[in-house]
Amino acid sequence: MPTSPSVAPAPVPPSRVVRDRRADLVVALIALALAGWVTSGLWWDPNGRAILVNSSDQALFEWLLAFGGHTLTNGQNPLFTDLLNVPDGVNLAVNTSITVYAAVFAPLTYLIGPPATFLVILTLNLAATALAWHLLLNRQFRRSPLAAGLGGLFIAFSPGMVSHANAHLNWTAGWLVPLLIWRLFALRRPEHTIRNGVVLGVVVAVAFSIAAEGLFFTALALGLFVIVWAVHPSNRAEARAVLPGFLGGLGVTAVVAGALLAYPLWLHFAGPQRFDGTGFDPVIHSEDIAAYAAYPSRSLAGAAGLRTSLAPNPTEENSFFGIPLLLLAVAAFVLLWRRARYPHRATVWALGVVAVVFTALSFGPVAKVDGHRTDLPMPFDLLAHLPVVNAALPARLALVVAPVIGILLAYLVDALRSDPPRSRPARATWVVAFAVALVPLLPTPLLTIKREPIPRFFTSGTWREYVSPGGVLTPVPLALDVYPDGQRWQAYALSHRQGEFAIPSGFFLGPGGPDGRGRIGPPPRPLSALMDQAARYGTVPIVTEGTMKDVQADLRHWRIEAVVLPDQVHGAKWAVDVEAVRRTGTALFGEPERVEDVWVWRIRQG
């Protein structure tokens, strides 16, 4: 039965310590093997392959790693940059800056480059998540190594985690959640209140740096769990007894985290280039009710043809548990409820409430069923306009449900082992139930593609002959989420200590969306629109006197010194018509200069 949040774990016998450490090693090796299997398509050539369904985010995180290391070694601000979105810059505090990762892995980034470092972090994220949950379940909640290992591995390689392994270094950092739970539960003990509060404050600051949205969801889930547990009749007296020390520890946590995050929070809520909400539609990015019973694409079931298209994109399959696992989770809840002693039922009840509430919230403002939008309002609609909540994607709230299921499965394993069914058919039924629920969800490798190499023009450092130090160079089409090459070139230059060049656009979240909300990249200008039209549709514009005035105004606004077109341009969502882009550039800027493996247009200042 789950350990009460207000009860400290009992001392562990030495024999169990040895057994637990062996189990830790086994779980770590299995987790590392599974993580390597999921990311295996990238390991063949880390610098030459990209994640098929999300090469944009991969390029962004590689840029963040390179930029973070560059700011660390050059004493610059890691939370605001003028290297993108010239002349306004980008507020990285409202983006996913992964500052801690960038700083910790800076030596590796300089040694092996941003793409390989990205892959190392992604792989370690998955493996560390499994091990962290295993340790929490085994050490904190006293589950057996088998139960804790199963629970940890399920959570780390649940459909949502595998889906976000498509380039999301923030969401795959699931190891932060058990760390936060462990340190939060430490506050229930009256001794070392200040020390425990300080440690939790540091952990909160680290989590904010790596995955602010995930930290917000974790805080909501833990807050709901603690409240439901505390108000249960069997726990009210105990909750009142520990409340003063617990609140005191939280106060210390708030002070420490507030001090460490004062500047990032100011940038986030009041700094330059901030915005309200996001540029994403909460209805589109809400979980389809049918998605909970569906199977994910990167799984054995998906490989067998049982996948669906109920997610807004392949990186957002946040539930997708399948009917057998849902039934097994309900059976686990019922069995644990029946077997629990009265005081411990509060913990089972709290877990169930968290799962139900976050499931309902994940449905977004209005319900969607099997791909069809309805007019039925959902609970999230009541909260959607609140600060911070309006920046969250409701579908991702389903990610909270997977750990609840993993915890229930871990306790179910121990419950069945401690008091197994008496008949052999009943025992066999439980084994089959676990197999039918979990085997179809075993992950398959992420889909990858070969991506365009960094041009020799940049790897050789020749670009420095065409741009003044810190000057503005732009690729065409201009860098965006769908055209990530410019930031990849910039990341290469920064990580190889070649110097700085700025680009006028980029892939980031910034102001400029409707009603003061955010948007991806800057608002389009005439030059970026013309180049996008050529790249996407192969259409060379008719250049008029008005067109030239608009383009010249853009060149002055961005202070562009050189325009670069490589022989191969990566299009994250469609193939790029390089010849149409070259012809458009020639019509606008004149004949280009061939330099190594790129076309270059020098732009005369003024």
Side-chain angles (χ1 to χ4, degrees):
M1 198 59 263
T3 301
S4 164
S6 61
V7 176
V12 181
S15 59
R16 179 167 174 174
V17 171
V18 175
R19 183 188 68 176
D20 288 347
R21 287 177 179 171
R22 289 175 180 170
D24 297 345
L25 179 60
V26 171
V27 171
L29 292 175
I30 295 174
L32 195 58
L34 281 173
W37 165 250
V38 170
T39 58
S40 58
L42 294 174
W43 280 106
W44 291 110
D45 184 5
N47 292 304
R49 299 197 67 79
I51 294 173
L52 173 64
V53 300
N54 202 12
S55 58
S56 300
D57 278 3
Q58 181 179 349
L60 171 61
F61 279 111
E62 291 172 3
W63 182 90
L64 288 166
L65 291 171
F67 174 75
H70 177 74
T71 61
L72 185 67
T73 55
N74 289 273
Q76 298 177 1
N77 187 349
L79 297 176
F80 195 92
T81 181
D82 295 314
L83 297 181
L84 303 177
N85 193 33
V86 173
D88 299 317
V90 175
N91 184 337
L92 296 177
V94 295
N95 286 263
T96 306
S97 58
I98 59 166
T99 313
V100 169
Y101 274 163
V104 171
F105 287 91
L108 191 64
T109 302
Y110 281 123
L111 181 64
I112 63 176
T117 303
F118 164 87
L119 178 54
V120 169
I121 297 174
L122 179 61
T123 306
L124 290 179
N125 265 350
L126 295 173
T129 298
L131 183 59
W133 275 105
H134 162 78
L135 291 172
L136 181 73
L137 290 167
N138 180 244
R139 305 296 202 274
Q140 182 73 39
F141 300 138
R142 296 295 178 237
R143 295 305 91 203
S144 68
L146 175 63
L150 176 67
L153 289 168
F154 168 76
I155 295 170
F157 297 96
S158 60
M161 284 290 288
V162 174
S163 174
H164 282 281
N166 284 295
H168 289 165
L169 293 188
N170 52 342
W171 282 107
T172 52
W175 56 270
L176 287 165
V177 178
L179 184 59
L180 286 163
I181 295 173
W182 172 47
R183 297 318 308 170
L184 179 71
F185 280 12
L187 298 181
R188 72 197 188 278
R189 298 193 291 270
E191 66 276 10
H192 308 305
T193 298
I194 294 178
R195 184 190 68 183
N196 289 331
V198 169
V199 173
L200 180 57
V202 173
V203 173
V204 167
V206 170
F208 181 88
S209 166
I210 296 174
E213 191 177 1
L215 173 64
F216 177 54
F217 289 177
T218 303
L220 291 178
L222 286 175
L224 178 61
F225 175 88
V226 170
I227 291 172
V228 173
W229 178 90
V231 299
H232 193 274
S234 65
N235 294 328
R236 288 174 187 170
E238 187 178 353
R240 283 195 296 267
V242 302
L243 184 60
F246 186 79
L247 292 179
L250 283 181
V252 175
T253 296
V255 170
V256 173
L260 293 174
L261 296 175
Y263 178 64
L265 288 173
W266 175 81
L267 272 179
H268 190 99
F269 292 105
Q273 293 300 106
R274 64 166 299 278
F275 53 87
D276 294 320
T278 69
F280 300 99
D281 188 333
V283 175
I284 293 175
H285 290 272
S286 59
E287 201 74 347
D288 193 302
I289 293 175
Y292 277 83
Y295 282 114
S297 56
R298 304 316 305 155
S299 66
L300 292 184
L306 300 179
R307 59 186 179 274
T308 65
S309 57
L310 295 176
N313 60 66
T315 70
E316 298 289 344
E317 293 180 340
N318 296 298
S319 57
F320 291 78
F321 299 119
I323 293 176
L325 179 59
L326 294 179
L327 294 176
L328 182 61
V330 172
F333 180 87
V334 172
L335 185 143
L336 293 171
W337 176 270
R338 288 179 175 178
R339 292 191 179 185
R341 296 191 304 273
Y342 177 67
H344 290 160
R345 284 188 174 180
T347 307
V348 181
W349 178 248
L351 286 171
V353 169
V354 170
V356 170
V357 168
F358 276 80
T359 296
L361 289 175
S362 73
F363 297 146
V366 295
K368 293 189 298 183
V369 182
D370 200 24
H372 302 288
R373 176 178 174 175
T374 71
D375 294 325
L376 180 65
M378 290 282 103
F380 185 84
D381 192 43
L382 301 174
L383 309 174
H385 302 292
L386 295 177
V388 183
V389 177
N390 64 3
L393 300 184
R396 292 177 176 176
L397 291 161
L399 294 171
V400 173
V401 181
V404 174
I405 293 177
I407 293 170
L408 291 175
L409 293 181
Y411 281 103
L412 177 61
V413 168
D414 278 352
L416 293 174
R417 294 180 70 204
S418 62
D419 186 13
R422 296 178 182 178
S423 66
R424 181 174 297 178
R427 292 194 294 271
T429 298
W430 279 110
V431 173
V432 171
F434 271 90
V436 171
L438 298 179
V439 170
L441 296 178
L442 288 174
T444 54
L446 304 176
L447 298 177
T448 62
I449 55 170
K450 183 178 180 181
R451 66 174 171 184
E452 293 72 16
I454 304 293
R456 290 191 306 276
F457 179 74
F458 293 96
T459 59
S460 66
T462 305
W463 64 269
R464 289 173 292 194
E465 301 174 14
Y466 292 80
V467 185
S468 61
V472 182
L473 173 154
T474 185
V476 284
L478 276 71
L480 279 173
D481 58 324
V482 291
Y483 308 120
D485 282 348
Q487 278 172 265
R488 290 182 58 222
W489 303 343
Q490 206 175 50
Y492 183 94
L494 294 176
S495 62
H496 287 77
R497 305 183 186 231
Q498 292 182 347
E500 295 180 351
F501 65 85
I503 58 178
S505 187
F507 177 22
F508 59 89
L509 292 177
D515 302 322
R517 299 174 71 83
R519 58 167 288 123
I520 296 177
R525 294 179 66 94
L527 177 57
S528 60
L530 290 171
M531 288 300 179
D532 177 64
Q533 178 179 309
R536 189 183 308 203
Y537 304 113
T539 304
V540 179
I542 298 175
V543 178
T544 65
E545 183 178 352
T547 303
M548 292 302 299
K549 287 183 178 179
D550 288 340
V551 169
Q552 289 167 4
D554 286 347
L555 296 174
R556 288 192 296 271
H557 173 77
W558 284 322
R559 305 190 301 271
I560 293 174
E561 299 178 23
V563 178
V564 178
L565 173 65
D567 293 335
Q568 303 176 66
V569 176
H570 181 74
K573 295 184 178 179
W574 50 75
V576 173
D577 191 327
V578 177
E579 178 58 23
V581 174
R582 189 185 67 80
R583 290 166 57 196
T584 300
T586 301
L588 296 174
F589 314 127
E591 288 295 329
E593 177 184 354
R594 183 67 178 179
V595 184
E596 297 193 19
D597 52 351
V598 301
W599 297 100
V600 180
W601 289 270
R602 289 181 184 266
I603 304 300
R604 182 168 54 87
Q605 294 303 294

